[in-house]
Amino acid sequence: MSRASTAPTGCPYQGDAGTTTDPCRDYLGLREDEPVRWDEDLELWFVTGFREATSLLHHPSLSSAWPERGSTPLHAAAGGGSGDGARTSGLVRKWFMFNDNPSHRRARRLVAPLFSADRVAGHRPFIQEVVEELLSKDRDSLDVMGDLAIPLSGRVICRILGLDAALAPHLEPWALDVAALLVADYMPDVVTRGHAALEDMTGLIDQALEGDLPEGSALHLLRTAQQDGEIELQDVWATASFLVYAGFETTSSFIGKAVRSILHSGSWAQLGEADMGAAVEELLRFDTSVQQVARLATDTIEIAGKRIAAGDLVLIMLGTANRDPEVFDRPDHLDHGRRITRHLGFGHGAHYCLGAGLARLEAQFALEGLREKWPTLRFREPPRTRSHFGITVLEHLVVESGDPAL
């Protein structure tokens, strides 16, 4: 589909009184500064340029193990942390996303088969069935978050792990408290809630490990590796809790943000004419779930005329980089016909999101299901967000048919 056949619009959030939190204002103002700049208050580097972000995401002198020693002045002021600069929790610090090679490669390789193209394709009938079930009710309106995105992502990750689907409703509060722990662990309440969520997760994992597990599921694979002496129980807890967090929270958030972006831009009708795969890539570029990732410099890095010193914390702003006007034509326009060769919605380099294919599939089926149910769609009420210890949560997104006759 050619770009001329779509109707791109400006940033759909700007100036909309119905949006309680404006995602564009959250991070796009950073583009007014240099693509790499030092923040004196937070004592860290912001990276907002697409080319600079891409380069640093696979730079050998940037470590993903920032929770080991990436504390900021906020932690010092709050008197938080462990005293040695360590962040989050011991279990989270074992997540392979927060480790460098060879630990990262070894842990990632163990679960990578779960997300191969063939395995992901094998989930297509299940995902389609769940979407059809969730959208089957005859109703005037639907909360995209509570009625579709959250239950869909929860049931899919339970299937991947080998957990009973009845456990899916527990995942959302756990995932949110862990998400807050990753960014605001200088707050005592966040630490308490985050650690409690992780304890609940590990308790659930232990219970599942004692029973029968579907062959080929993540927990079955991890239990076998533990029994064979390849990993320890703590590694099982770490990998399983990471899959719960990453597989649920980011995907459910993206589905909701995708629908919000489309409706705010008034381009639901254009979605009906677009290639859904290309449309999902554009939506990932436009307003991705993961807006930033942190890295810690292990050696001096020269980039964009700046000198990043060993020990400096670096925040790579994925959402801002995906709106870089030096790389993307009219970056603040949502264009379903845009043909994207690459974006940073799933990161880049060795830590590229392992579940990217599964997330794309869930989003495609969710959007296709909504499009089939309601060829025209509109907000029934303004999208509702709330702050969860510094994390902006899209709580409710209630929509209805845009056809007054329905």
Side-chain angles (χ1 to χ4, degrees):
M1 182 175 177
S2 67
R3 294 187 59 171
S5 60
T6 63
T9 62
C11 180
Y13 309 113
Q14 290 176 341
D16 191 320
T19 306
T20 55
T21 299
D22 185 340
C24 289
R25 295 194 191 97
D26 282 349
Y27 58 87
L28 292 186
L30 294 171
R31 291 186 306 188
E32 299 174 5
D33 297 311
E34 297 174 282
V36 179
R37 72 171 179 88
W38 175 255
D39 188 288
E40 294 287 350
D41 295 326
L42 294 176
E43 297 182 6
L44 53 79
W45 293 92
F46 280 109
V47 180
T48 57
F50 185 90
R51 295 184 179 91
E52 292 80 5
T54 301
S55 174
L56 290 175
L57 283 170
H58 62 77
H59 199 288
S61 295
L62 277 185
S63 169
S64 295
W66 62 265
E68 291 288 349
R69 50 197 185 280
S71 52
T72 71
L74 293 173
H75 297 83
S82 59
D84 59 0
R87 299 273 306 274
T88 65
S89 77
L91 183 63
V92 169
R93 291 195 295 274
K94 289 181 72 67
W95 287 5
F96 62 79
M97 72 175 290
F98 296 136
N99 279 268
D100 301 319
N101 290 330
S103 298
H104 169 258
R105 184 186 300 114
R106 182 170 55 248
R108 183 183 175 103
R109 184 180 295 157
L110 181 62
V111 293
L114 298 169
F115 301 97
S116 69
D118 287 344
R119 289 292 294 271
V120 169
H123 294 298
R124 291 180 66 91
F126 175 78
I127 296 172
Q128 183 175 14
E129 178 183 338
V130 173
V131 170
E132 290 176 351
E133 175 192 329
L134 294 172
L135 295 178
S136 63
K137 294 181 181 179
D138 185 14
R139 50 189 162 190
D140 297 330
S141 64
L142 173 138
D143 183 347
V144 174
M145 297 308 298
D147 297 330
L148 178 61
I150 290 172
L152 171 62
S153 298
R155 287 168 66 174
V156 170
I157 199 59
C158 280
R159 176 183 172 87
I160 298 294
L161 283 162
L163 296 173
D164 191 319
L167 297 170
H170 296 284
L171 303 186
E172 184 192 14
W174 291 343
L176 289 177
D177 285 340
V178 172
L181 184 66
L182 298 182
V183 299
D185 57 337
Y186 52 87
M187 299 173 63
D189 285 349
V190 168
V191 173
T192 298
R193 292 173 66 104
H195 285 208
L198 290 166
E199 289 178 8
D200 287 342
M201 285 187 192
T202 55
L204 176 66
I205 292 164
D206 280 342
Q207 187 176 18
L209 291 172
E210 294 173 357
D212 294 329
L213 291 168
E215 188 172 351
S217 66
L219 286 177
H220 183 273
L221 185 155
L222 292 168
R223 183 174 66 183
T224 300
Q226 182 201 356
Q227 292 171 344
D228 291 344
E230 296 178 37
I231 60 175
E232 304 293 333
L233 178 59
Q234 290 81 2
D235 299 311
V236 177
W237 291 341
T239 302
S241 61
F242 168 62
L243 293 178
V244 168
Y245 164 74
F248 169 77
E249 199 276 335
T250 55
T251 303
S252 60
S253 295
F254 171 62
I255 292 172
K257 293 173 84 171
V259 175
R260 180 179 66 177
S261 295
I262 297 166
L263 294 186
H264 268 299
S265 66
S267 61
W268 187 258
Q270 284 75 34
L271 183 69
E273 304 171 0
D275 173 79
M276 189 59 75
V280 166
E281 296 307 309
E282 168 69 346
L283 288 160
L284 284 163
R285 179 199 70 83
F286 189 79
D287 193 4
T288 189
S289 294
V290 180
Q291 293 293 334
Q292 64 187 43
V293 294
R295 295 289 188 268
L296 193 73
T298 59
D299 202 349
T300 301
I301 300 171
E302 302 278 354
I303 187 168
K306 305 296 182 180
R307 184 181 178 89
I308 299 174
D312 285 352
L313 188 63
V314 180
L315 278 186
I316 302 175
M317 308 302 292
L318 304 179
T320 311
N322 277 338
R323 300 283 199 93
D324 187 340
E326 296 294 323
V327 176
F328 300 102
D329 180 38
R330 295 178 299 171
D332 295 339
H333 289 69
L334 180 64
D335 182 353
H336 300 307
R338 190 191 300 267
R339 297 297 176 177
I340 301 174
T341 57
R342 59 176 177 160
H343 59 73
L344 300 179
F346 291 120
H348 181 71
H351 286 266
Y352 183 82
C353 177
L354 191 59
L358 185 65
R360 286 183 171 105
L361 194 62
E362 291 181 55
Q364 287 180 27
F365 273 116
L367 291 172
E368 287 171 351
L370 281 171
R371 186 174 65 179
E372 181 177 344
K373 183 178 180 67
W374 284 312
T376 59
L377 195 68
R378 65 187 179 191
F379 292 121
R380 183 162 187 158
E381 58 187 53
R384 190 186 312 168
T385 61
R386 65 180 174 89
S387 178
H388 184 75
F389 298 103
I391 300 292
T392 299
V393 180
L394 180 54
E395 190 171 29
H396 294 292
L397 187 65
V398 183
V399 298
E400 64 183 359
S401 171
D403 186 344
L406 296 178

